[in-house]
Short mmCIF file of all heavy atoms in Angstrom, two decimals:
data_model
loop_
_atom_site.label_atom_id
_atom_site.label_comp_id
_atom_site.label_asym_id
_atom_site.label_seq_id
_atom_site.Cartn_x
_atom_site.Cartn_y
_atom_site.Cartn_z
N LEU A 486 16.94 -7.77 -9.55
CA LEU A 486 16.21 -8.87 -10.13
C LEU A 486 15.03 -9.27 -9.25
O LEU A 486 13.93 -9.53 -9.73
CB LEU A 486 17.14 -10.06 -10.33
CG LEU A 486 16.50 -11.33 -10.93
CD1 LEU A 486 15.96 -11.03 -12.31
CD2 LEU A 486 17.52 -12.46 -10.98
N GLY A 487 15.25 -9.29 -7.95
CA GLY A 487 14.20 -9.68 -7.04
C GLY A 487 13.01 -8.74 -7.08
O GLY A 487 11.87 -9.15 -6.88
N GLN A 488 13.27 -7.45 -7.31
CA GLN A 488 12.17 -6.51 -7.39
C GLN A 488 11.46 -6.63 -8.73
O GLN A 488 10.27 -6.34 -8.84
CB GLN A 488 12.68 -5.09 -7.18
CG GLN A 488 13.14 -4.85 -5.76
CD GLN A 488 13.36 -3.39 -5.48
OE1 GLN A 488 12.69 -2.53 -6.03
NE2 GLN A 488 14.30 -3.09 -4.63
N ASN A 489 12.18 -7.02 -9.78
CA ASN A 489 11.58 -7.13 -11.09
C ASN A 489 10.70 -8.37 -11.22
O ASN A 489 9.71 -8.38 -11.94
CB ASN A 489 12.66 -7.18 -12.17
CG ASN A 489 13.33 -5.84 -12.37
OD1 ASN A 489 12.84 -4.82 -11.92
ND2 ASN A 489 14.46 -5.84 -13.06
N PHE A 490 11.09 -9.48 -10.56
CA PHE A 490 10.41 -10.75 -10.75
C PHE A 490 10.05 -11.32 -9.39
O PHE A 490 10.92 -11.79 -8.67
CB PHE A 490 11.32 -11.71 -11.52
CG PHE A 490 10.63 -12.98 -11.92
CD1 PHE A 490 9.56 -12.96 -12.79
CD2 PHE A 490 11.08 -14.19 -11.42
CE1 PHE A 490 8.93 -14.14 -13.16
CE2 PHE A 490 10.46 -15.37 -11.79
CZ PHE A 490 9.39 -15.35 -12.66
N ASN A 491 8.79 -11.28 -9.05
CA ASN A 491 8.33 -11.64 -7.74
C ASN A 491 7.42 -12.86 -7.83
O ASN A 491 6.20 -12.73 -7.96
CB ASN A 491 7.59 -10.45 -7.11
CG ASN A 491 7.25 -10.67 -5.65
OD1 ASN A 491 7.28 -11.79 -5.17
ND2 ASN A 491 6.93 -9.61 -4.97
N VAL A 492 8.02 -14.04 -7.79
CA VAL A 492 7.25 -15.27 -7.93
C VAL A 492 6.23 -15.39 -6.80
O VAL A 492 5.08 -15.80 -7.01
CB VAL A 492 8.19 -16.48 -7.94
CG1 VAL A 492 7.39 -17.78 -7.99
CG2 VAL A 492 9.14 -16.40 -9.13
N ALA A 493 6.64 -15.03 -5.58
CA ALA A 493 5.77 -15.20 -4.43
C ALA A 493 4.49 -14.39 -4.52
O ALA A 493 3.48 -14.73 -3.92
CB ALA A 493 6.53 -14.80 -3.16
N GLY A 494 4.53 -13.30 -5.30
CA GLY A 494 3.36 -12.43 -5.37
C GLY A 494 2.43 -12.71 -6.52
O GLY A 494 1.40 -12.05 -6.64
N VAL A 495 2.75 -13.69 -7.38
CA VAL A 495 1.94 -13.91 -8.59
C VAL A 495 0.50 -14.30 -8.24
O VAL A 495 -0.46 -13.75 -8.80
CB VAL A 495 2.58 -14.98 -9.48
CG1 VAL A 495 1.64 -15.39 -10.60
CG2 VAL A 495 3.88 -14.45 -10.08
N THR A 496 0.32 -15.23 -7.31
CA THR A 496 -1.02 -15.68 -6.95
C THR A 496 -1.84 -14.53 -6.36
O THR A 496 -3.02 -14.35 -6.69
CB THR A 496 -0.96 -16.84 -5.94
OG1 THR A 496 -0.24 -17.93 -6.54
CG2 THR A 496 -2.35 -17.31 -5.56
N ILE A 497 -1.20 -13.75 -5.49
CA ILE A 497 -1.89 -12.60 -4.88
C ILE A 497 -2.23 -11.58 -5.95
O ILE A 497 -3.33 -11.00 -5.96
CB ILE A 497 -1.02 -11.98 -3.78
CG1 ILE A 497 -0.79 -12.99 -2.66
CG2 ILE A 497 -1.65 -10.71 -3.22
CD1 ILE A 497 0.28 -12.58 -1.69
N PHE A 498 -1.30 -11.34 -6.88
CA PHE A 498 -1.53 -10.41 -7.97
C PHE A 498 -2.76 -10.83 -8.78
O PHE A 498 -3.64 -10.02 -9.07
CB PHE A 498 -0.29 -10.37 -8.87
CG PHE A 498 -0.45 -9.57 -10.13
CD1 PHE A 498 -0.35 -8.20 -10.12
CD2 PHE A 498 -0.70 -10.22 -11.33
CE1 PHE A 498 -0.49 -7.47 -11.29
CE2 PHE A 498 -0.84 -9.51 -12.50
CZ PHE A 498 -0.74 -8.12 -12.49
N MET A 499 -2.85 -12.11 -9.12
CA MET A 499 -3.96 -12.59 -9.92
C MET A 499 -5.28 -12.51 -9.16
O MET A 499 -6.32 -12.16 -9.73
CB MET A 499 -3.69 -14.03 -10.38
CG MET A 499 -2.50 -14.17 -11.31
SD MET A 499 -2.60 -13.12 -12.78
CE MET A 499 -4.04 -13.82 -13.59
N SER A 500 -5.24 -12.82 -7.86
CA SER A 500 -6.48 -12.74 -7.08
C SER A 500 -6.94 -11.30 -6.90
O SER A 500 -8.14 -11.02 -6.85
CB SER A 500 -6.29 -13.40 -5.71
OG SER A 500 -5.42 -12.65 -4.88
N THR A 501 -5.97 -10.37 -6.85
CA THR A 501 -6.33 -8.95 -6.78
C THR A 501 -7.02 -8.52 -8.07
O THR A 501 -8.06 -7.84 -8.04
CB THR A 501 -5.08 -8.09 -6.53
OG1 THR A 501 -4.46 -8.50 -5.32
CG2 THR A 501 -5.45 -6.61 -6.43
N LEU A 502 -6.46 -8.90 -9.19
CA LEU A 502 -7.07 -8.57 -10.48
C LEU A 502 -8.44 -9.20 -10.62
O LEU A 502 -9.37 -8.59 -11.17
CB LEU A 502 -6.18 -9.05 -11.63
CG LEU A 502 -4.89 -8.28 -11.91
CD1 LEU A 502 -4.15 -8.93 -13.07
CD2 LEU A 502 -5.17 -6.81 -12.21
N ALA A 503 -8.58 -10.43 -10.12
CA ALA A 503 -9.81 -11.19 -10.34
C ALA A 503 -10.98 -10.71 -9.48
O ALA A 503 -12.13 -10.82 -9.89
CB ALA A 503 -9.55 -12.67 -10.09
N GLY A 504 -10.71 -10.20 -8.30
CA GLY A 504 -11.85 -9.83 -7.47
C GLY A 504 -11.53 -9.08 -6.19
O GLY A 504 -12.41 -8.47 -5.60
N ARG A 505 -10.27 -9.10 -5.78
CA ARG A 505 -9.92 -8.44 -4.52
C ARG A 505 -9.22 -7.11 -4.82
O ARG A 505 -8.18 -6.79 -4.28
CB ARG A 505 -9.04 -9.36 -3.66
CG ARG A 505 -9.66 -10.72 -3.40
CD ARG A 505 -8.70 -11.62 -2.67
NE ARG A 505 -8.53 -11.22 -1.30
CZ ARG A 505 -7.53 -11.64 -0.51
NH1 ARG A 505 -6.62 -12.45 -1.00
NH2 ARG A 505 -7.44 -11.23 0.73
N ARG A 506 -9.84 -6.34 -5.69
CA ARG A 506 -9.22 -5.12 -6.18
C ARG A 506 -9.02 -4.07 -5.09
O ARG A 506 -8.12 -3.24 -5.17
CB ARG A 506 -10.06 -4.55 -7.33
CG ARG A 506 -10.13 -5.51 -8.50
CD ARG A 506 -11.16 -5.11 -9.54
NE ARG A 506 -11.17 -6.07 -10.65
CZ ARG A 506 -12.05 -6.05 -11.63
NH1 ARG A 506 -13.01 -5.13 -11.64
NH2 ARG A 506 -12.00 -6.95 -12.59
N TYR A 507 -9.85 -4.12 -4.08
CA TYR A 507 -9.75 -3.18 -2.96
C TYR A 507 -8.40 -3.27 -2.26
O TYR A 507 -7.95 -2.30 -1.64
CB TYR A 507 -10.88 -3.44 -1.95
CG TYR A 507 -10.91 -4.85 -1.42
CD1 TYR A 507 -10.19 -5.20 -0.28
CD2 TYR A 507 -11.65 -5.85 -2.05
CE1 TYR A 507 -10.20 -6.50 0.22
CE2 TYR A 507 -11.67 -7.15 -1.58
CZ TYR A 507 -10.94 -7.47 -0.43
OH TYR A 507 -10.95 -8.75 0.05
N LEU A 508 -7.72 -4.43 -2.37
CA LEU A 508 -6.43 -4.57 -1.70
C LEU A 508 -5.37 -3.64 -2.28
O LEU A 508 -4.40 -3.31 -1.60
CB LEU A 508 -5.94 -6.02 -1.81
CG LEU A 508 -6.70 -7.07 -1.00
CD1 LEU A 508 -6.11 -8.45 -1.26
CD2 LEU A 508 -6.66 -6.74 0.49
N ALA A 509 -5.53 -3.21 -3.52
CA ALA A 509 -4.53 -2.35 -4.16
C ALA A 509 -4.81 -0.86 -3.95
O ALA A 509 -4.02 -0.03 -4.39
CB ALA A 509 -4.48 -2.65 -5.66
N ILE A 510 -5.90 -0.54 -3.27
CA ILE A 510 -6.27 0.87 -3.06
C ILE A 510 -5.73 1.33 -1.70
O ILE A 510 -6.08 0.76 -0.66
CB ILE A 510 -7.79 1.06 -3.10
CG1 ILE A 510 -8.38 0.39 -4.34
CG2 ILE A 510 -8.13 2.54 -3.04
CD1 ILE A 510 -7.88 0.94 -5.65
N PRO A 511 -4.89 2.34 -1.66
CA PRO A 511 -4.36 2.82 -0.37
C PRO A 511 -5.40 3.60 0.42
O PRO A 511 -6.30 4.22 -0.15
CB PRO A 511 -3.19 3.72 -0.79
CG PRO A 511 -3.58 4.21 -2.15
CD PRO A 511 -4.34 3.09 -2.81
N HIS A 512 -5.27 3.56 1.74
CA HIS A 512 -6.14 4.39 2.57
C HIS A 512 -5.85 5.87 2.37
O HIS A 512 -6.76 6.70 2.40
CB HIS A 512 -5.94 4.03 4.05
CG HIS A 512 -6.37 2.64 4.40
ND1 HIS A 512 -5.47 1.61 4.59
CD2 HIS A 512 -7.60 2.11 4.56
CE1 HIS A 512 -6.14 0.50 4.88
NE2 HIS A 512 -7.42 0.77 4.87
N ILE A 513 -4.57 6.20 2.18
CA ILE A 513 -4.15 7.60 2.04
C ILE A 513 -3.18 7.69 0.87
O ILE A 513 -2.23 6.90 0.78
CB ILE A 513 -3.46 8.11 3.32
CG1 ILE A 513 -4.39 7.98 4.53
CG2 ILE A 513 -2.97 9.55 3.16
CD1 ILE A 513 -3.69 8.22 5.86
N SER A 514 -3.39 8.66 -0.01
CA SER A 514 -2.46 8.92 -1.11
C SER A 514 -1.89 10.33 -0.94
O SER A 514 -2.63 11.28 -0.67
CB SER A 514 -3.17 8.83 -2.47
OG SER A 514 -3.61 7.51 -2.71
N VAL A 515 -0.58 10.46 -1.07
CA VAL A 515 0.09 11.74 -0.91
C VAL A 515 1.12 11.92 -2.02
O VAL A 515 1.54 10.95 -2.65
CB VAL A 515 0.80 11.86 0.47
CG1 VAL A 515 -0.22 11.89 1.60
CG2 VAL A 515 1.79 10.71 0.67
N GLN A 516 1.54 13.15 -2.25
CA GLN A 516 2.59 13.39 -3.22
C GLN A 516 3.91 12.83 -2.72
O GLN A 516 4.66 12.19 -3.46
CB GLN A 516 2.73 14.89 -3.51
CG GLN A 516 3.76 15.22 -4.58
CD GLN A 516 3.46 14.57 -5.92
OE1 GLN A 516 2.29 14.48 -6.32
NE2 GLN A 516 4.49 14.10 -6.61
N ASP A 517 4.22 13.07 -1.45
CA ASP A 517 5.37 12.47 -0.81
C ASP A 517 5.12 12.51 0.69
O ASP A 517 4.11 13.05 1.15
CB ASP A 517 6.69 13.15 -1.20
CG ASP A 517 6.71 14.63 -0.86
OD1 ASP A 517 6.32 15.01 0.27
OD2 ASP A 517 7.11 15.43 -1.72
N ILE A 518 6.02 11.96 1.47
CA ILE A 518 5.75 11.82 2.91
C ILE A 518 5.78 13.15 3.66
O ILE A 518 5.40 13.20 4.84
CB ILE A 518 6.71 10.81 3.57
CG1 ILE A 518 8.17 11.29 3.51
CG2 ILE A 518 6.55 9.44 2.95
CD1 ILE A 518 9.12 10.46 4.37
N ASN A 519 6.20 14.23 2.99
CA ASN A 519 6.13 15.54 3.64
C ASN A 519 4.70 15.91 4.01
O ASN A 519 4.48 16.73 4.90
CB ASN A 519 6.72 16.62 2.73
CG ASN A 519 8.22 16.55 2.63
OD1 ASN A 519 8.91 16.36 3.63
ND2 ASN A 519 8.75 16.70 1.43
N GLN A 520 3.72 15.33 3.33
CA GLN A 520 2.32 15.65 3.59
C GLN A 520 1.73 14.87 4.77
O GLN A 520 0.62 15.15 5.19
CB GLN A 520 1.49 15.37 2.35
CG GLN A 520 1.77 16.28 1.17
CD GLN A 520 0.90 15.93 -0.01
OE1 GLN A 520 1.21 15.04 -0.78
NE2 GLN A 520 -0.23 16.62 -0.13
N VAL A 521 2.47 13.89 5.27
CA VAL A 521 1.92 13.03 6.32
C VAL A 521 2.12 13.67 7.68
O VAL A 521 3.22 14.12 8.03
CB VAL A 521 2.59 11.65 6.28
CG1 VAL A 521 2.03 10.76 7.39
CG2 VAL A 521 2.40 10.99 4.92
N ASP A 522 1.07 13.69 8.47
CA ASP A 522 1.14 14.20 9.84
C ASP A 522 1.40 13.01 10.77
O ASP A 522 0.48 12.34 11.22
CB ASP A 522 -0.17 14.90 10.22
CG ASP A 522 -0.06 15.67 11.52
OD1 ASP A 522 0.74 15.26 12.38
OD2 ASP A 522 -0.78 16.68 11.69
N TRP A 523 2.66 12.76 11.05
CA TRP A 523 3.05 11.59 11.84
C TRP A 523 2.53 11.68 13.27
O TRP A 523 2.12 10.66 13.85
CB TRP A 523 4.57 11.45 11.84
CG TRP A 523 5.15 11.36 10.47
CD1 TRP A 523 5.93 12.29 9.84
CD2 TRP A 523 5.01 10.28 9.54
NE1 TRP A 523 6.27 11.86 8.57
CE2 TRP A 523 5.73 10.63 8.37
CE3 TRP A 523 4.35 9.05 9.59
CZ2 TRP A 523 5.79 9.79 7.26
CZ3 TRP A 523 4.41 8.20 8.49
CH2 TRP A 523 5.13 8.58 7.35
N LYS A 524 2.53 12.87 13.83
CA LYS A 524 2.04 13.03 15.20
C LYS A 524 0.56 12.67 15.29
O LYS A 524 0.13 12.01 16.24
CB LYS A 524 2.27 14.47 15.67
CG LYS A 524 1.86 14.71 17.12
CD LYS A 524 2.16 16.15 17.54
CE LYS A 524 1.71 16.39 18.97
NZ LYS A 524 1.97 17.80 19.40
N ALA A 525 -0.23 13.08 14.30
CA ALA A 525 -1.65 12.75 14.30
C ALA A 525 -1.87 11.25 14.22
O ALA A 525 -2.76 10.70 14.87
CB ALA A 525 -2.36 13.47 13.15
N LEU A 526 -1.05 10.58 13.43
CA LEU A 526 -1.18 9.13 13.32
C LEU A 526 -0.84 8.44 14.64
O LEU A 526 -1.50 7.49 15.05
CB LEU A 526 -0.26 8.62 12.21
CG LEU A 526 -0.71 8.98 10.79
CD1 LEU A 526 0.41 8.70 9.79
CD2 LEU A 526 -1.96 8.21 10.41
N ARG A 527 0.19 8.94 15.31
CA ARG A 527 0.54 8.37 16.61
C ARG A 527 -0.60 8.60 17.60
O ARG A 527 -0.99 7.69 18.35
CB ARG A 527 1.82 9.00 17.14
CG ARG A 527 2.30 8.40 18.47
CD ARG A 527 3.32 9.30 19.13
NE ARG A 527 2.72 10.56 19.53
CZ ARG A 527 3.40 11.70 19.72
NH1 ARG A 527 4.70 11.73 19.53
NH2 ARG A 527 2.78 12.79 20.11
N GLU A 528 -1.16 9.80 17.60
CA GLU A 528 -2.25 10.11 18.52
C GLU A 528 -3.50 9.31 18.22
O GLU A 528 -4.33 9.09 19.10
CB GLU A 528 -2.55 11.61 18.48
CG GLU A 528 -1.42 12.46 19.07
CD GLU A 528 -1.66 13.95 18.92
OE1 GLU A 528 -2.58 14.34 18.16
OE2 GLU A 528 -0.92 14.73 19.55
N ALA A 529 -3.64 8.86 16.97
CA ALA A 529 -4.78 8.03 16.60
C ALA A 529 -4.63 6.60 17.10
O ALA A 529 -5.57 5.81 17.01
CB ALA A 529 -4.95 8.03 15.08
N GLY A 530 -3.45 6.25 17.61
CA GLY A 530 -3.26 4.94 18.20
C GLY A 530 -2.33 4.01 17.46
O GLY A 530 -2.12 2.87 17.89
N PHE A 531 -1.75 4.48 16.36
CA PHE A 531 -0.82 3.62 15.63
C PHE A 531 0.51 3.51 16.38
O PHE A 531 0.93 4.43 17.07
CB PHE A 531 -0.62 4.15 14.21
CG PHE A 531 -1.84 3.98 13.36
CD1 PHE A 531 -2.75 5.02 13.20
CD2 PHE A 531 -2.12 2.76 12.76
CE1 PHE A 531 -3.91 4.86 12.45
CE2 PHE A 531 -3.27 2.58 12.01
CZ PHE A 531 -4.17 3.63 11.85
#
C-alpha cells in the first residue's frame, strides 16, 4: 500500500510535471545493473 499511495511525494510529483522535469531524468540508464562498472564509479570519487 505504501508503494502504491505516496502522499509525501504528491507535491514533488506535481512540481516535476509543472516545470522541474529534469529531476525525473536519470544520469545513466541501463538494462540492468550488470552494465554498471562499479569500480569506475568508485575511482571517479563516489
Side-chain angles (χ1 to χ4, degrees):
L486 179 61
Q488 291 192 32
N489 287 346
F490 187 63
N491 188 343
V492 176
V495 170
T496 300
I497 297 168
F498 173 81
M499 296 305 296
S500 69
T501 301
L502 287 179
R505 305 175 72 196
R506 298 169 180 173
Y507 57 89
L508 290 178
I510 311 298
H512 295 103
I513 302 169
S514 295
V515 293
Q516 183 60 38
D517 58 46
I518 64 169
N519 287 317
Q520 293 180 276
V521 180
D522 191 331
W523 303 111
K524 183 178 179 181
L526 289 167
R527 183 196 66 203
E528 292 175 348
F531 290 96

